[in-house]
Amino acid sequence: DTGVSQNPRHKITKRGQNVTFRCDPISEHNRLYWYRQTLGQGPEFLTYFQNEAQLEKSRLLSDRFSAERPKGSFSTLEIQRTEQGDSAMYLCASSFTFGGSSYNEQFFGPGTRLTVL
Amino acid sequence: AQKVTQAQTEISVVEKEDVTLDCVYETRDTTYYLFWYKQPPSGELVFLIRRNSFDEQNEISGRYSWNFQKSTSSFNFTITASQVVDSAVYFCALSEAVGSYTGNQFYFGTGTSLTVIP
């Protein structure tokens, strides 16, 4: 299967712990996006990368959230000192984009469901 | 203010009826892109269509059609002869081409949950 994959699919953690999620995009895609989705809401954009460069991160929810894509392939999203309000589905998507255009459709992964107790 | 508004939270139709899902967007950019995605009960978002701001031509793909009107900032989605498999949450999304390598922003609406009753 060559779609976007995310690991783990489910994560349960205690408040105050750090968690890290991994996303493997479609191999030829140069852009990678992170979203958060809570129940009954649409995906909420967090950040994105073009290759290894993080081009937009102003919408990361707080300084407890950080993302990396060190070699321009897979990416990780880390949440430090988790809070109950962080409980949500975290979605990753990828696309192939030429130049600065943002028109290409994004292909989404299955998500990582985080539960903070 | 919401960048993308999907006023219909839930819609139920009987199989074979036509249904239109509304999407209203807000942007100051002259170049932007609009999308529709489907999220079935299994959860994974599936791309349906994209439109750029310079292309107002309506599109039909099988039972799906899209009506893009810049004058009313709307990008509505119609399913003709609905089927049970169309039951899902549908999201409209906006991508603003802010700058070139900086600041692309992406906004999703809150979604419309469509139930097709057999």
Side-chain angles (χ1 to χ4, degrees):
Chain A
D1 183 74
T2 57
V4 177
S5 61
Q6 293 187 246
N7 288 288
R9 295 292 307 276
H10 303 274
K11 177 71 176 178
I12 300 173
T13 191
K14 293 183 179 179
R15 187 177 53 187
Q17 298 294 305
N18 299 343
V19 294
T20 300
F21 310 139
R22 176 177 170 129
C23 171
D24 288 88
I26 294 172
S27 59
E28 62 269 26
H29 285 183
N30 56 355
R31 282 199 174 180
L32 186 149
Y33 313 79
W34 283 101
Y35 292 84
R36 182 178 78 160
Q37 187 176 21
T38 53
L39 194 63
Q41 299 297 314
E44 178 183 12
F45 171 70
L46 299 178
T47 186
Y48 84 100
F49 296 84
Q50 177 143 329
N51 301 312
E52 66 275 10
Q54 190 172 14
L55 297 188
E56 175 57 56
K57 58 181 180 180
S58 65
R59 290 171 64 190
L60 282 169
L61 300 165
S62 78
D63 58 7
R64 298 184 297 105
F65 287 71
S66 63
E68 294 184 344
R69 194 184 184 197
K71 298 183 179 179
S73 56
F74 74 91
S75 174
T76 58
L77 177 70
E78 181 181 16
I79 308 174
Q80 296 182 329
R81 306 181 302 282
T82 52
E83 301 173 357
Q84 288 185 325
D86 297 332
S87 295
M89 179 75 84
Y90 290 84
L91 300 171
C92 175
S94 70
S95 70
F96 179 76
T97 302
F98 180 76
S101 170
S102 61
Y103 71 89
N104 281 6
E105 64 270 27
Q106 299 175 23
F107 292 81
F108 282 80
T112 294
R113 182 169 295 283
L114 172 66
T115 302
V116 182
L117 301 176
Chain B
Q2 290 285 336
K3 285 280 192 177
V4 178
T5 301
Q6 294 180 256
Q8 304 151 308
T9 305
E10 297 180 357
I11 298 177
S12 292
V13 297
V14 176
E15 198 171 22
K16 298 185 183 178
E17 288 184 344
D18 299 346
V19 59
T20 295
L21 310 182
D22 298 333
C23 173
V24 174
Y25 62 92
E26 177 187 336
T27 180
R28 294 180 180 179
D29 285 355
T30 55
T31 302
Y32 54 90
Y33 305 91
L34 297 164
F35 304 82
W36 276 96
Y37 286 85
K38 175 181 180 180
Q39 190 170 40
S42 59
E44 202 157 324
L45 281 150
V46 176
F47 165 78
L48 296 177
I49 190 172
R50 70 168 178 266
R51 262 289 175 268
N52 72 53
S53 51
F54 300 108
D55 180 5
E56 285 194 74
Q57 189 171 13
N58 292 328
E59 181 163 338
I60 298 174
S61 175
R63 295 183 299 107
Y64 295 169
S65 62
W66 290 270
N67 184 342
F68 176 30
Q69 293 193 340
K70 288 179 73 172
S71 60
T72 56
S73 297
S74 65
F75 185 44
N76 296 337
F77 171 32
T78 297
I79 302 174
T80 303
S82 59
Q83 300 177 359
V84 173
V85 294
D86 296 327
S87 296
V89 181
Y90 291 86
F91 292 98
C92 180
L94 165 71
S95 174
E96 294 181 318
V98 179
S100 57
Y101 276 87
T102 59
N104 285 157
Q105 296 281 354
F106 304 90
Y107 304 91
F108 279 73
T110 52
T112 297
S113 178
L114 174 65
T115 301
V116 180
I117 304 166

